[in-house]
Amino acid sequence: MHQPPWIFISLCSFSFIVSLFVFMLSSLSCFLFRPGLPAAAATAAIMFWKFDLNNTSHIDQLLDREGVTLRELMEEEDVLQECKAQNRKLLLFLSKDHCMQELVTLITEEPPADLEEKTRFKFPNIACELLTSDVALINDKLGGDESLLEKLYHFLEQEPPLNPLLASFFSKTIGNLIARKTDQVISFLRKKHNFISLVLNHIDASAMMDLLLRLISCVEPALLRMEVLNWLNEERLIQRLTELMHTGRDEERQSNASQTLCDIIRLSRDQANQLSEVTEPDPLLTVLESQENVSELLKNMFEGERTEASVVNGTQVLLTLLESRRSGLEGLMDLYSQGFERSYTVNSSILRAIEPHLKDFQQLLLNPPTRSAILTTVGVLEQPLGSARLHVARLVASLLQTCDLSICQEICRLNTMDLLLDLFFKYTWNNFLHLQVELCVASILNHSNHEERPLFQHCRLVQRILDAWEENDKIQAEGGRRRGNMGHLTRIANTVVQNLEKGLIIITCISTELPEDCRGRWEGFVGETLRETNRRNTVDLVSTHNLHSSSEDDDMESPFPNDLSIQQAFSDYQIQQMTANFVDQFGFNDEEFSEHDENINAAFDRIAEINFNIDADDHSANAAAFEACCKERIQQFDDCEEEEDIWDEKEINYATQIKSRSRYNPGWTASFSETEVSSSSAWGGSPQQEGEGPQDTNWASFTEFQPFSR
C-alpha cells in the first residue's frame, strides 16, 4: 500500500535524532572513561546530563525536618508563591496556633531597633503578605479565632502616632478580613464601643482612612452593608470627621479627614446609583448633605485664625458636595463642557448653608493667608495667589454653575466677579486661576439669570479685554513674550461674541450702552483681530489631506497636473546640450532669492511664466502620429514569430521648428520638426527594411540644438 510522503519524512527525522543521541552517548562514555580523566570532571559531566524533573520543593524538605521554625520558612524566597499555590504542607504549618500568633505579632509590634534598617521590616512585610494571600484556610483561622482578632485590635489601643508601615499592614489585614469574613469581623468590631474613636484618634495615618473606606465599600450583601452604615451613623462618624476640620487641629488630621469625607460622598453616590434595589437612603450621605452639617463645616473653617490648610480642606469637601450626580459615560464629560452648557441639581440645603458665608470667602479674596515670596520661571512672585484663593475661585465657579438665583444675586452684590477679574489680569501666568474665571464668565453669559449687566457695566469686561489685548500686542512688539492668560482671554471674548450673535436682548442693550470709542474698538477687534486669532488657532499643525491607505492609491488622482505641455517642457530640459557654461546657468539665478521676495512659494509660482504653447494643427504630422498610435492595437506575443530587437540602434531625425524656453533660459533652444509617420511599431509591426524610406517609429524626432542670441 502506498504510504503518504510525510510518514517517510517523519521516520527519517526520528532515525536521525536516535542516531545523534546514540552518538552523543558514545562520545560521552569515551570521554568519561578515558584514562587520566579526573574523578571531579567525570562527576561534573554526569551531573550536567542528569535531569531530574520531579524535584520536590525545598520548603517541603524543610517541613519534613523536625523543629523547623516559622522564621526559617520565611527566609525562603518562594514561600509566598508556595502559599498562594495552596501547598498543603505549608498551609497546615502556617495555620497552627503558634504560627498565626507569631504572624500577627510581626505586623502589630515594632521590630527591634538594633536591626539594620533595610532588613528591619522584612519579616513583618512577609507576614502581612501571608495573612492577606487570600487563602481560605488562613482566612478561616484568622477570622474565626477571637484571640487573634483581639491581638489585632490591640494595635489600635497604642498611643499615637502609629508606625505608618505597621499601620498599613494592620489596615490591609483587617480590610481583607472585612471582605472575606464579613459577618465574623463586623460582629467583633461592633462589640468594641471605642472602635471608631480609636480609628479617628489615629486618623493622621492614612491607613486608618483606608480602613474606614473599606467598612463602607467592601461589605456585602446590601442589607448587611446598610446595617454597617447605620452603625457608623449611630457612632456619629460624619460629625466627628467634621469636627476634625477645625482651624485649631493638626494639618495632617485635617487633610485626612477632608479626604475621607470626600471619598465617602463619592462612594455613597456611586453605590446609590448602582444598587437600585435598595430604597433606603444612605444615612451617611444624608448627614453630609444636611444644612446643619454643612453649616458646622463652614463654622469650623472660619472660626478662630483662618489658616490656608483649613480653608483648602474645607472647600474641597464643599466642592465634592457640589459635584454633579452623574454616572457612566455622562459622568466622564469634560469639565469645560460641563461648566459651559450643562447645569445640574444640587441639594438646596447645601446652597442655603453656603450662602451666608459667601462674604467670608469674599474676604479671603481680599485678605488671603500670608505667604512668602516664591521664585518662579518668570521671576520672583512677591505675593503668590495661594491655594486658598484658588479654591475660592473654584467654589465660585461651581456655585454659578448651579444657576441658583439667590446665590448668583449674592455673588453680584458682593462684587465677587470684579475681584476675580482683577486676579485674572494680575496673575497672568496662573492658568489654574484663568480656567476658573473663564468658567465663571461662561456660566453667567450662558445661563439666563439676568445677572449679565454687572459683568459688562461694573466689571467692564469688554474694556478689560480690549486693554489687555492691546497691552499684550505692545509687549510682543517690543520683543517680549506673549502673556500666559491670552488663550483664556480669547475664549472669553469668543463667548461674549457668541452670546451677542444669539440675539439676547439684555446683552445687545449692554453692547449699545458702551461708549462710542469703546464700541468702535470692540467692533474692529471682533472683525479683524479676534477673527485672525481664531483662524490661526484652527490651522492644522499637520496636513492630513494627502494621507490615505495604500488600497486607495489607484482611486486617488495624482497631485501633479496632467498637462502634456508641462511634460514636453520637462523633456526639452532633459535633452539640452551640455555646454561649457551649463554649470553656471543650471538651476535658479541668485536674483530669484532676493530679500524682497520672502514668499516660499514664489519659485513655484513662476511656473506660470513658462511658455507651453504647442502647435495644435490637426493636419500636422504630429497629430497624424497621435491618431495612428491611438488606433493601433497591441498584438499578442508569439514565440514562433520573428521579433525585432528593440535595442537595435536606429537613425533619429531631428526637426527644424524652434521653440524657445523662457523658464530656464540656458542660452540655447531645442528645435522640433514635423516627423514622418511609420506604418509599423517596435512592439507589433514588421521590422524596418534596409533601403526603405523614412518609417514611423511613434517616437518624436528632434533637430540639433541651436544656440540663440539674446
Side-chain angles (χ1 to χ4, degrees):
M1 184 176 64
H2 178 70
Q3 297 292 339
W6 63 269
I7 296 180
F8 175 74
I9 296 173
S10 301
L11 291 175
C12 292
S13 302
F14 179 74
S15 301
F16 173 76
I17 293 173
V18 171
S19 301
L20 180 62
F21 184 69
V22 171
F23 172 75
M24 294 173 64
L25 288 178
S26 61
S27 301
L28 180 62
S29 61
C30 293
F31 171 76
L32 292 177
F33 299 105
R34 79 169 188 261
L37 181 68
T43 303
I46 294 174
M47 291 177 63
F48 178 79
W49 287 95
K50 181 180 180 181
F51 293 95
D52 187 3
L53 300 180
N54 295 320
N55 278 337
T56 59
S57 171
H58 186 54
I59 290 182
D60 289 340
Q61 297 177 4
L62 284 176
L63 292 171
D64 291 337
R65 195 182 68 190
E66 290 188 9
V68 64
T69 63
L70 179 62
R71 294 295 181 100
E72 291 177 331
L73 287 173
M74 296 175 69
E75 288 283 1
E76 297 296 321
E77 294 182 354
D78 58 344
V79 62
L80 293 177
Q81 180 180 351
E82 291 292 327
C83 181
K84 294 181 179 180
Q86 306 285 333
N87 186 315
R88 188 66 180 172
K89 286 185 178 180
L90 178 61
L91 295 181
L92 290 175
F93 181 83
L94 293 177
S95 60
K96 292 181 178 180
D97 291 341
H98 72 279
C99 289
M100 293 296 295
Q101 290 285 344
E102 187 174 355
L103 289 174
V104 174
T105 301
L106 284 172
I107 67 171
T108 55
E109 295 184 5
E110 287 272 356
D114 56 349
L115 294 178
E116 190 177 357
E117 191 63 30
K118 64 180 181 180
T119 60
R120 188 178 175 211
F121 290 95
K122 173 185 176 181
F123 290 118
N125 181 50
I126 297 175
C128 177
E129 293 298 324
L130 290 173
L131 291 174
T132 59
S133 58
D134 202 15
V135 176
L137 188 59
I138 295 179
N139 290 338
D140 293 342
K141 182 66 175 178
L142 187 58
D145 192 335
E146 191 162 338
S147 63
L148 294 175
L149 293 178
E150 288 285 353
K151 193 174 187 65
L152 276 173
Y153 185 80
H154 180 68
F155 177 76
L156 292 176
E157 297 176 343
Q158 303 179 40
E159 290 295 325
L162 296 175
N163 183 295
L165 196 55
L166 292 180
S168 66
F169 296 154
F170 167 81
S171 176
K172 185 176 181 180
T173 304
I174 290 292
N176 179 71
L177 291 177
I178 290 174
R180 301 304 179 191
K181 309 298 292 182
T182 308
D183 292 333
Q184 295 92 321
V185 175
I186 295 299
S187 176
F188 172 80
L189 294 178
R190 294 186 67 175
K191 295 177 184 177
K192 302 296 182 180
H193 301 291
N194 60 344
F195 171 69
I196 298 299
S197 300
L198 292 175
V199 171
L200 295 180
N201 191 37
H202 298 295
I203 197 64
D204 54 326
S206 59
M208 297 299 105
M209 176 179 65
D210 297 335
L211 177 58
L212 288 175
L213 296 178
R214 285 180 179 272
L215 278 173
I216 295 173
S217 61
C218 296
V219 176
E220 292 182 357
L223 292 178
L224 181 58
R225 176 180 176 272
M226 186 58 62
E227 291 181 10
V228 172
L229 294 179
N230 288 326
W231 166 53
L232 295 176
N233 188 43
E234 292 171 0
E235 294 289 332
R236 301 182 73 253
L237 174 64
I238 301 302
Q239 291 87 338
R240 292 184 180 184
L241 287 171
T242 303
E243 291 174 2
L244 293 176
M245 304 293 296
H246 196 276
T247 55
R249 297 285 185 174
D250 178 69
E251 291 187 6
E252 194 68 27
R253 291 176 177 271
Q254 289 185 28
S255 178
N256 287 345
S258 171
Q259 188 62 47
T260 303
L261 290 173
C262 293
D263 290 339
I264 291 175
I265 294 170
R266 296 189 178 101
L267 284 173
S268 299
R269 289 177 175 176
D270 290 342
Q271 291 186 349
N273 292 332
Q274 296 171 4
L275 304 176
S276 57
E277 70 275 6
V278 179
T279 57
E280 186 177 352
D282 189 316
L284 299 183
L285 184 60
T286 301
V287 174
L288 274 166
E289 293 181 337
S290 66
Q291 184 172 350
E292 179 184 359
N293 186 75
V294 177
S295 299
E296 185 66 23
L297 173 64
L298 290 164
K299 177 184 176 182
N300 293 333
M301 288 171 55
F302 295 110
E303 191 175 61
E305 182 182 0
R306 300 177 183 180
T307 62
E308 185 170 79
S310 63
V311 172
V312 170
N313 293 322
T315 306
Q316 286 178 346
V317 178
L318 296 177
L319 290 171
T320 307
L321 288 171
L322 294 174
E323 286 179 357
S324 59
R325 305 186 191 183
R326 292 194 293 269
S327 60
L329 293 177
E330 190 178 5
L332 300 177
M333 292 180 60
D334 182 56
L335 176 62
Y336 182 83
S337 301
Q338 171 186 332
F340 278 32
E341 300 178 359
R342 296 186 62 89
S343 61
Y344 50 87
T345 303
V346 177
N347 194 324
S348 59
S349 60
I350 302 173
L351 300 177
R352 301 289 75 81
I354 295 176
E355 185 175 348
H357 291 274
L358 286 177
K359 61 180 183 300
D360 297 318
F361 290 106
Q362 174 85 353
Q363 193 63 29
L364 281 173
L365 292 177
L366 294 171
N367 299 308
T370 305
R371 291 178 61 93
S372 58
I374 59 174
L375 178 63
T376 68
T377 55
V378 293
V380 177
L381 197 58
E382 296 294 341
Q383 187 181 4
L385 176 69
S387 297
R389 287 195 287 185
L390 178 60
H391 277 75
V392 172
R394 292 180 58 194
L395 180 63
V396 174
S398 297
L399 290 172
L400 289 174
Q401 290 168 21
T402 63
C403 299
D404 185 83
L405 182 59
S406 179
I407 290 288
C408 293
Q409 289 177 346
E410 182 66 13
I411 291 176
C412 290
R413 188 187 68 81
L414 294 172
N415 201 21
T416 305
M417 278 306 304
D418 192 38
L419 289 176
L420 289 177
L421 287 172
D422 289 340
L423 297 175
F424 179 92
F425 292 107
K426 178 180 179 180
Y427 296 96
T428 58
W429 298 102
N430 195 319
N431 290 147
F432 299 105
L433 172 66
H434 302 158
L435 174 61
Q436 302 307 320
V437 176
E438 180 190 350
L439 290 173
C440 291
V441 174
S443 297
I444 294 174
L445 295 180
N446 290 338
H447 301 148
S448 299
N449 49 18
H450 303 288
E451 301 298 330
E452 302 94 341
R453 187 178 296 275
L455 188 63
F456 288 92
Q457 291 183 340
H458 186 75
C459 299
R460 302 174 62 252
L461 178 61
V462 172
Q463 292 91 327
R464 291 194 184 201
I465 293 175
L466 295 174
D467 294 341
W469 206 286
E470 292 172 358
E471 187 175 353
N472 177 76
D473 290 343
K474 181 180 178 181
I475 293 174
Q476 287 189 281
E478 296 174 353
R481 66 176 65 183
R482 184 172 182 260
R483 286 184 169 180
N485 60 355
M486 293 305 296
H488 291 280
L489 191 64
T490 301
R491 299 208 296 195
I492 291 175
N494 284 325
T495 304
V496 174
V497 172
Q498 291 168 6
N499 281 273
L500 287 172
E501 291 175 350
K502 290 179 182 178
L504 299 179
I505 298 177
I506 185 169
I507 295 184
T508 305
C509 293
I510 293 172
S511 63
T512 58
E513 294 175 2
L514 293 175
E516 186 66 28
D517 59 335
C518 184
R519 193 182 313 143
R521 290 169 59 199
W522 175 255
E523 293 175 356
F525 168 77
V526 173
E528 298 178 4
T529 306
L530 185 60
R531 185 188 300 274
E532 176 62 19
T533 301
N534 292 332
R535 186 195 64 79
R536 290 198 307 266
N537 291 340
T538 55
V539 172
D540 293 334
L541 298 180
V542 178
S543 178
T544 59
H545 66 278
N546 286 329
L547 300 180
H548 58 278
S549 63
S550 58
S551 61
E552 300 174 350
D553 287 347
D554 296 337
D555 299 330
M556 297 291 292
E557 295 184 358
S558 173
F560 301 101
N562 294 325
D563 192 349
L564 295 178
S565 60
I566 298 180
Q567 299 178 15
Q568 183 64 47
F570 181 72
S571 298
D572 295 348
Y573 179 77
Q574 287 182 311
I575 60 177
Q576 295 174 120
Q577 287 184 341
M578 295 288 291
T579 59
N581 60 346
F582 176 79
V583 176
D584 297 333
Q585 296 176 339
F586 178 78
F588 298 98
N589 297 327
D590 292 338
E591 291 77 11
E592 296 181 359
F593 296 93
S594 58
E595 295 182 357
H596 69 273
D597 189 2
E598 297 178 355
N599 186 0
I600 194 172
N601 296 320
F604 299 99
D605 294 340
R606 294 196 182 92
I607 293 178
E609 301 174 11
I610 302 176
N611 184 8
F612 293 130
N613 295 327
I614 296 180
D615 292 341
D617 187 4
D618 294 339
H619 302 289
S620 65
N622 291 335
F626 178 77
E627 293 292 335
C629 182
C630 293
K631 294 178 181 179
E632 183 181 7
R633 294 184 178 180
I634 299 177
Q635 300 180 3
Q636 296 181 353
F637 293 102
D638 191 351
D639 296 338
C640 298
E641 294 182 0
E642 182 181 358
E643 296 182 357
E644 177 186 2
D645 188 0
I646 63 174
W647 303 109
D648 287 345
E649 294 184 358
K650 298 180 179 62
E651 181 182 357
I652 300 178
N653 296 326
Y654 295 93
T656 58
Q657 184 179 357
I658 297 176
K659 289 181 177 288
S660 62
R661 299 169 60 254
S662 60
R663 170 66 178 91
Y664 299 100
N665 195 16
W668 58 82
T669 59
S671 299
F672 307 88
S673 66
E674 297 180 358
T675 58
E676 299 181 3
V677 182
S678 167
S679 60
S680 64
S681 168
W683 297 103
S686 60
Q688 180 178 339
Q689 302 296 330
E690 294 183 2
E692 294 183 0
Q695 300 284 331
D696 177 22
T697 61
N698 289 343
W699 296 91
S701 49
F702 308 90
T703 64
E704 295 180 353
F705 292 96
Q706 306 285 340
F708 68 94
S709 58
R710 298 180 181 269

